[in-house]
Amino acid sequence: MAVTAVPANAVQTPAPATAAQRDGQHDFDWEFGSWATHVRVLRNPLSGAAPDWAEFQGTSIVKPILDGRANSVELSVKNAKGAIEGVSLRLYSPQSRQWSLNYATVRGGVMTAPVYGGFDGKGRGTFYGQDTIDGRVVLVRFVITNVSANEARFEQGYSADGGVSWETNWIAVDTRMPN
């Protein structure tokens, strides 16, 4: 996968840290635990064709690492035609006050290029990066919403026009499983 620099206007980089800035190193603490996951994946992103969605059901297990300053997500979802199994490693940088979200599927065996960003303090995290679709580099936006103590929403979109427009290609709704 070829990766080039993300245009400056596509990624919101925080100002240098000050005492007044919030420390986001525990922004994912609300998500630790086991979740029932419903995932919709767009099989033909940025193709110009009618959307072709696949739906999957399964689990997502989120565990803290290093006292919550990092965490892992184990995703295992399937449908009648296949499965998606992967792991996400999320790392917090106290210098930039940003998270990097890194993902790998069991099938692919390598980490994708990370997306970077953080939470707004109100339960919404926005992360940006790059990916390659059919040989062309596109922007990626990943939005995490803490809907409630028992529900979370994850939405990924691609942009082929520098962030002017976005096409959603991944929607996951998680519901907390009883302990």
Side-chain angles (χ1 to χ4, degrees):
M1 169 186 323
V3 176
T4 58
V6 176
N9 63 349
V11 178
Q12 298 174 355
T13 304
T18 66
Q21 281 187 314
R22 62 183 296 282
D23 180 0
Q25 70 180 331
H26 291 283
D27 280 346
F28 282 103
D29 288 5
W30 60 272
E31 193 185 6
F32 298 153
S34 299
W35 300 79
T37 303
H38 177 246
V39 176
R40 294 182 67 217
V41 178
L42 185 62
R43 291 190 269 202
N44 58 342
L46 300 177
S47 67
D52 180 15
W53 290 93
E55 298 198 29
F56 299 83
Q57 298 285 343
T59 60
S60 180
I61 300 169
V62 184
K63 298 176 185 175
I65 303 171
L66 300 171
D67 193 30
R69 293 170 293 159
N71 62 73
S72 66
V73 181
E74 296 175 39
L75 176 68
S76 179
V77 294
K78 62 184 177 179
N79 65 18
K81 295 182 179 180
I84 301 171
E85 294 179 300
V87 63
S88 180
L89 177 63
R90 301 165 173 166
L91 303 167
Y92 184 73
S93 167
Q95 293 79 24
S96 68
R97 295 183 183 256
Q98 288 188 315
W99 286 88
S100 67
L101 282 52
N102 309 269
Y103 181 77
T105 64
V106 173
R107 183 178 302 164
V110 297
M111 291 287 202
T112 61
V115 292
Y116 298 93
F119 284 82
D120 62 7
K122 299 175 186 172
R124 181 181 167 96
T126 307
F127 307 85
Y128 293 94
Q130 292 184 323
D131 202 346
T132 303
I133 303 296
D134 297 328
R136 64 182 166 163
V137 176
V138 298
L139 293 178
V140 179
R141 178 179 66 194
F142 194 68
V143 178
I144 300 172
T145 307
N146 178 359
V147 177
S148 72
N150 295 312
E151 185 178 335
R153 181 179 174 90
F154 305 84
E155 188 172 300
Q156 178 178 281
Y158 289 146
S159 175
D161 59 12
V164 174
S165 62
W166 295 91
E167 178 183 76
T168 301
N169 60 31
W170 173 280
I171 300 169
V173 176
D174 288 7
T175 305
R176 189 175 298 279
M177 296 170 62
N179 292 334

